[in-house]
């Protein structure tokens, strides 16, 4: 090797040796207490700490050329301790806390749970709406408590949580048996699911959008499901598999309601902001339920305590509304919602369309050459609240209140011999109801529920006839009190038992009061009903099979009448993608509605509630069965459900006849058979569906001329289709509804009038023209400020502006000439909304 080579080698060795020496110098660790003394003297500061905290802690030497804040930042990183500036000159040293994070998930359903309490000593937090939480911990010995009503308390040391940087899923187990489980998620769209007992559940916390709707109208939403429709486009006339509206049980947080719509039926009266979940049961009801021989629509508010204030203010072309959900300490929260129509301030295009639809063939349109109606006004409002209190992990107390009202008024003006007289007619419809529920989890295997409610409904109309100098006052009042005691016992992991008792007292009164000639008719009846029920719920270990067998005993004290009602729901998964469902029930109800198209309540509201008298107005009893088969794979869902239903004890007065049987008072029955079919396809950002319903429903009235004939609600074929699409915060939906026409009775051609009356042919032998409607809607939400969102939406109902005939009937004019009356559907109806969410 040359001298030159030795020289270069020596330089290289010297270079690496200097690097090594420098590294040793810079990486030399020094005791933290000596470093702190240096910092105190150099920067003129003081450290406060426990001596045991820095014992055996070593850090690198400090660079005195750095600023104080930069030096402290280096110490935080190298010592794994937290340095906090108490003041400019005093720095406190504390143990650095570790952050624990995770997602709380229901083990059975897989759903993320919001507002779960996470506690570490005196510190605590809640999961957000996505089930996520973060909490600081001091050491691996800390004990974390996770609490959520209805679930077992989870108690775990920090050392047993995941140490990875990824936030783990933490599963909570239900405190009792899972009463129902979801077997089909997103049955139509996001937020519409099907449960193992045949119930359809709509969760507005997850809800997407339906065609033609911008608000989450509860009773419009259920009509998107197969087998449910409104024969006249109103939410106050929902028909489930051929049944009339009074055969539906409607409840709000367990309170039975006798009114369902605003604007006399065109929109739901249940505020969508406070009504978060809706369940629709067409068959297979639990034994704890009574009434509703055709179906049940059960609405409810959220069942968790909200610890953060939130709310919204919104306006659309019909109303303004507001909503708040505010915590009242750690163990209570209060929800308040209110809504008021804006027709007093401005008449929008939407209001004009609704007014035109409602006022057809009513006293408002009943004018003459010397009589006119003016100053016509429709308005409505509703208010509701829910107070939820959880005094302990085992108790939940809930208070509910709702008050709604519809009003219409108009002035009748008559000009006679140069004189003018003005009188006002009006109609008021209102409901006020309240309830208390108490839930107690005594043990992991036993819990009880106690509920009490009071509901009052009133319909009052004053019709002034200036020409005959007459005032006609009408009232229909329902007052009902109910109480229920229910217990649930978990016998094993696959077996549970539900037992209970309920009592209902219902009073119904009807008043007709005419001032000239004086005539007063007041009828008031009271019924008291007792019920006892028991249900056995069985499931397999893998939750693939569910069976619920129930039996209900009813006793009507006034008539000493006993009714036994068995119930069954069976659900079984097989071949991983198939599901079979069997549902059956016997049911009865004590109330029904009579319909008088001639003179009831200005012709705007034509139905009155009445109680059964066990003779001319019998108890309505039903029995039905259905068999469902589903196939769900790769976003495709096929659901086929044939059914049969028989209902006994109906009257001609409750069915809305507008022909020869309009004034008949006969009792009979009807049967309904058919099939509901759904085909749905889901993609990543969209859902498309088409459903078909076939129905054959016939009346049997032994004392009528036509003993058996098609039902007034016999809509033979119905097809609905729709698709919605999500692009980030933009929701779009479009869909159409088609169905065959409603049955009606024509007069005999060539002999339409006989002896001064209309000479009708075979009952319901004709059908109106087919119904067709195309709807679109869209919503967009964006962040307006840090904690505020703004939502805008637009919807068009019946964009083809098709004139669909809702019903047809015949009347004789003053000259005994026959006239056909057609009532039309809503035409092209726009709506728009702006909503501020905070």
């Amino acid at each position: 090797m040359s001298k030159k080579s030795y020289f270069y080698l020596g330089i290289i060795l010297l270079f690496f040796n200097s690097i090594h020496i420098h590294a040793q110098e810079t990486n030399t660790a020094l005791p933290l207490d000596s470093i702190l003394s240096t910092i105190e003297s150099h920067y003129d500061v003081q450290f406060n700490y426990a001596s045991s905290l820095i014992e055996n802690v070593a850090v690198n030497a400090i660079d005195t050329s750095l600023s104080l804040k930069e030096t402290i930042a280096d110490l935080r990183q190298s010592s794994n301790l937290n340095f906090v500036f108490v003041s400019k000159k005093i720095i406190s040293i504390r143990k650095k806390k570790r952050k624990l994070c995770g997602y709380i998930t229901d083990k059975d359903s897989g759903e993320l749970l919001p507002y779960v309490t996470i506690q570490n000593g005196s510190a605590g937090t809640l999961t957000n709406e996505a089930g996520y939480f973060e909490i600081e911990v001091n050491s691996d010995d800390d004990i974390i408590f996770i609490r959520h009503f209805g679930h077992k308390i989870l108690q775990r040391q920090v050392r047993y949580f995941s140490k990875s940087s990824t936030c783990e899923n933490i599963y909570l187990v239900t405190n009792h048996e899972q009463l129902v489980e979801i077997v089909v998620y997103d049955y139509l769209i996001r937020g519409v699911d099907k449960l193992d007992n045949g119930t359809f559940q709509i969760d507005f916390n997850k809800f997407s959008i339906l065609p033609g709707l911008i608000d989450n109208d509860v009773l419009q939403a259920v009509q998107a499901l197969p087998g449910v429709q409104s024969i006249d486009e109103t939410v106050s006339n929902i028909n489930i598999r051929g049944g009339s509206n009074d055969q539906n049980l409607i409840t709000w947080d367990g309170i039975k309601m006798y009114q369902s719509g605003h604007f006399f039926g065109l929109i739901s009266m249940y505020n969508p902001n406070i009504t978060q979940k809706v369940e629709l049961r067409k068959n297979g009801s639990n034994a704890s339920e009574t009434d509703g021989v055709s179906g049940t629509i059960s609405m409810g508010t959220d069942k968790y305590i909200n610890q953060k204030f939130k709310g919204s203010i919104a306006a659309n072309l019909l109303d303004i509304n507001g909503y708040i959900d505010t915590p009242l300490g750690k163990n209570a929260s209060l929800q308040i919602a209110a809504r008021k129509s804006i027709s007093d301030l401005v008449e929008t295009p939407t209001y004009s369309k609704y007014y035109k639809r409602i006022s057809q063939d009513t006293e408002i349109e009943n004018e003459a050459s010397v009589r006119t109606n003016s100053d016509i006004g429709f308005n409505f409002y509703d208010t509701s609240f829910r107070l939820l209190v959880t005094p302990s992990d085992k108790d939940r107390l809930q208070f509910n209140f709702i008050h709604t009202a519809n009003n219409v008024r108009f002035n009748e003006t008559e000009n006679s011999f140069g004189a003018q007289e003005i009188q006002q007619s009006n109609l008021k419809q209102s409901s006020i109801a309240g309830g208390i529920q108490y839930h107690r989890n005594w043990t992991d295997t036993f819990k009880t529920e106690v509920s009490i409610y009071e509901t009052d409904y009133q319909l009052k109309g004053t019709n002034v006839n200036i020409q005959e100098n007459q005032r006609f006052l009408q009232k229909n009042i329902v007052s009902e009190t109910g109480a229920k005691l229910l217990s649930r016992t978990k016998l094993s992991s696959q077996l549970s038992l539900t037992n209970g008792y309920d009592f209902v007292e219902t009073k119904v009164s009807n008043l007709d009061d005419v001032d000239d000639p004086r005539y007063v008719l007041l009828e008031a009846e009271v019924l008291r009903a007792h019920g006892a029920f028991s249900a056995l719920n069985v499931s397999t270990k893998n939750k693939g099979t569910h069976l619920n067998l129930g039996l209900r005993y009813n006793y009507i004290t006034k008539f000493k009448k006993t009714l036994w009602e068995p119930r069954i729901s069976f659900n079984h998964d097989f071949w991983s993608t198939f599901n079979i469902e069997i549902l059956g029930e016997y049911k009865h109800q004590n109330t029904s509605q009579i319909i008088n198209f001639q003179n009831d309540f200005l012709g705007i509201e034509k139905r009155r509630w009445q109680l059964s008298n066990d003779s001319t107005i019998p108890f309505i009893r039903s029995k039905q069965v259905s068999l469902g088969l589903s196939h769900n794979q790769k976003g495709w869902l096929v659901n086929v459900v044939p059914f049969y239903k028989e209902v006994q004890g109906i009257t001609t007065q409750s069915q809305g006849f507008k022909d020869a049987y309009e004034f008949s008072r006969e009792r009979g029955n009807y049967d309904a058979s058919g099939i509901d079919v759904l085909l749905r396809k889901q993609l990543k950002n969209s859902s498309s569906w088409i459903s078909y319903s076939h129905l054959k429903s016939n009346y049997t009235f032994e004392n009528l001329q036509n003993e058996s004939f098609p039902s007034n609600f016999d809509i033979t074929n119905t097809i609905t289709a729709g698709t919605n699409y999500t692009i980030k915060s933009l929701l779009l939906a479009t869909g159409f509804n088609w169905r065959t026409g409603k049955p009606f009775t024509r007069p005999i051609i060539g002999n339409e009038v006989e002896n001064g009356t209309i000479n009708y042919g075979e009952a319901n032998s004709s059908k109106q023209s087919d119904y067709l409607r195309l709807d679109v809607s869209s919503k967009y939400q964006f962040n307006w400020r840090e904690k505020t969102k703004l939502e805008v939406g637009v919807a068009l109902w019946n964009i083809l502006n098709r004139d669909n005939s809702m019903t047809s009937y015949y009347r004789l004019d003053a000259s005994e000439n026959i006239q056909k009356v057609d009532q039309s559907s809503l035409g092209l109806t726009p709506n728009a909304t702006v909503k501020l969410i905070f």
Side-chain angles (χ1 to χ4, degrees), residues 187 579 581 627-631 638-642 675-678:
Y187 184 81
N579 179 274
E581 172 188 86
L627 172 66
L629 181 64
S630 298
H631 176 59
V638 181
N639 183 220
V640 180
V641 185
I675 188 169
D676 296 330
V677 181
L678 174 77

Side-chain angles (χ1 to χ4, degrees), residues 236-423:
S236 60
N237 198 10
I238 294 177
N239 314 113
I240 300 177
R241 290 177 173 171
S244 55
N245 183 77
D246 61 342
Q247 294 170 9
N248 302 327
L249 170 64
I250 298 178
T251 65
W252 184 74
D253 266 343
I255 305 170
K256 184 177 179 181
M257 305 301 297
Y258 285 88
Q259 179 187 350
S260 55
H262 276 320
F263 227 113
F264 296 95
L266 287 179
I267 61 174
S268 169
M269 77 172 196
Y270 303 99
N271 197 305
N273 293 309
I274 201 172
T275 306
Q276 277 87 18
K277 283 193 178 181
V278 183
E279 292 186 352
L280 169 70
R281 286 179 286 280
K282 295 183 279 189
N283 190 5
S285 301
N286 192 279
S288 62
E289 296 178 351
T290 186
D291 284 336
V293 297
S294 273
T296 300
I297 301 172
S298 176
M299 295 164 283
T301 58
D302 277 336
K303 299 296 185 279
Y304 57 81
I305 299 291
N306 176 30
Q307 295 291 348
K308 294 183 179 180
F309 178 84
K310 63 180 181 180
S312 66
I313 300 174
N316 57 48
L317 297 182
L318 285 174
D319 61 68
I320 55 174
N321 61 82
Y323 164 76
I324 61 169
D325 188 354
T326 181
L328 303 175
K330 291 184 178 181
N331 298 320
S333 68
L334 175 67
Q335 291 183 339
I336 302 175
R339 182 168 44 167
K340 174 71 172 66
S341 61
I342 60 174
S343 54
D344 294 339
L345 303 174
V346 59
E347 292 189 8
T348 65
T350 310
Y351 170 84
S352 298
K353 293 288 186 177
Y354 278 33
Y355 163 73
K356 182 179 179 181
R357 167 70 180 85
I358 289 296
S359 62
Q360 296 179 74
D361 192 34
T362 66
E363 285 291 326
I364 295 176
E365 285 195 335
N366 185 18
E367 296 184 343
S369 57
V370 296
R371 187 178 68 254
T372 59
N373 297 329
S374 61
D375 295 329
I376 303 167
F378 280 90
N379 65 80
F380 62 83
Y381 65 86
D382 63 66
T383 182
S384 49
F385 81 77
R386 183 231 63 186
L387 174 63
L388 192 62
V389 182
T390 54
S392 71
D393 296 328
K394 294 187 175 183
D395 301 278
R396 186 182 77 203
L397 192 60
Q398 181 173 320
F399 302 87
N400 289 88
F401 173 82
I402 185 171
H403 177 46
T404 70
N406 285 271
N407 298 284
V408 61
R409 57 161 183 20
F410 62 92
N411 290 334
E412 183 177 304
T413 304
E414 182 169 314
N415 297 290
S416 180
F417 303 106
Q420 186 181 75
E421 185 177 355
I422 301 175
Q423 295 284 350

Side-chain angles (χ1 to χ4, degrees), residues 537-697:
N537 188 285
V538 184
S539 63
T540 55
K541 287 185 177 180
N542 63 358
K543 303 298 182 181
T545 303
H546 299 268
L547 173 66
N548 186 285
L549 293 172
L551 181 65
R552 182 179 179 88
Y553 165 79
N554 304 278
Y555 181 72
I556 316 298
T557 56
K558 186 175 183 178
F559 305 106
K560 298 181 180 180
K561 193 176 187 67
T562 297
L563 301 170
W564 292 91
E565 297 171 345
R567 315 278 173 85
I568 182 173
S569 68
F570 172 78
N571 191 284
H572 174 65
D573 294 329
F574 63 99
W575 296 344
S576 73
T577 60
F578 285 86
N579 179 274
I580 189 171
E581 172 188 86
I582 300 173
L583 303 174
E585 68 178 24
Y586 279 69
K587 252 186 170 186
H588 87 287
Q589 66 183 61
N590 305 329
T591 56
S592 60
Q593 288 179 317
I594 55 174
I595 304 172
N596 188 339
F597 290 103
Q598 296 299 309
N599 58 11
D600 265 9
F601 301 100
L602 311 180
I604 298 169
E605 181 57 59
K606 308 174 181 68
R607 297 173 295 187
R608 302 178 183 221
W609 287 102
Q610 63 179 0
L611 281 173
S612 300
N613 59 19
D614 204 28
S615 56
T616 57
I617 308 173
F619 294 97
I620 303 176
R621 305 182 67 179
S622 72
K623 54 185 176 182
Q624 58 177 316
V625 64
S626 63
L627 172 66
L629 181 64
S630 298
H631 176 59
N632 192 2
Q633 186 177 25
K634 295 181 179 179
W636 287 99
L637 171 65
V638 181
N639 183 220
V640 180
V641 185
F643 62 88
Y644 174 78
K645 176 171 65 175
E646 184 178 306
V647 178
Q648 299 176 338
I650 64 172
T651 65
T652 51
Q653 287 182 291
S654 68
Q655 298 301 298
F657 285 104
K658 292 190 175 184
D659 50 26
Y661 304 138
E662 181 172 351
F663 301 105
S664 298
R665 293 175 176 264
E666 301 296 335
R667 51 186 294 179
N669 58 68
Y670 76 88
D671 60 77
S673 60
I675 188 169
D676 296 330
V677 181
L678 174 77
L679 175 64
R680 183 265 286 154
K681 172 61 177 175
Q682 281 185 330
L683 297 173
K684 182 178 181 181
N685 296 318
S686 68
S687 179
S688 300
W689 69 93
I690 182 169
S691 68
Y692 168 73
S693 294
H694 174 76
L695 174 68
K696 183 178 181 181
S697 180

Side-chain angles (χ1 to χ4, degrees), residues 187-189 192 200 202 204 207 209-213 217-230 235 238-239 280 282 297 676-680 689-693 718-724 735-737 773 775 797:
Y187 184 81
L188 284 181
I189 60 173
V192 181
F200 294 93
I202 301 175
F204 287 119
F207 197 68
I209 189 173
L210 285 171
L213 301 178
D217 190 299
V218 175
L219 299 181
Q220 290 284 5
V222 298
Q223 294 180 47
L225 297 166
V228 184
Q229 60 183 303
S230 173
V235 299
I238 294 177
N239 314 113
L280 169 70
K282 295 183 279 189
I297 301 172
D676 296 330
V677 181
L678 174 77
L679 175 64
R680 183 265 286 154
W689 69 93
I690 182 169
S691 68
Y692 168 73
S693 294
T718 303
I719 296 176
T720 62
T723 183
N724 69 5
F736 77 87
N737 290 263
R773 193 184 79 239
D775 309 316
W797 181 279

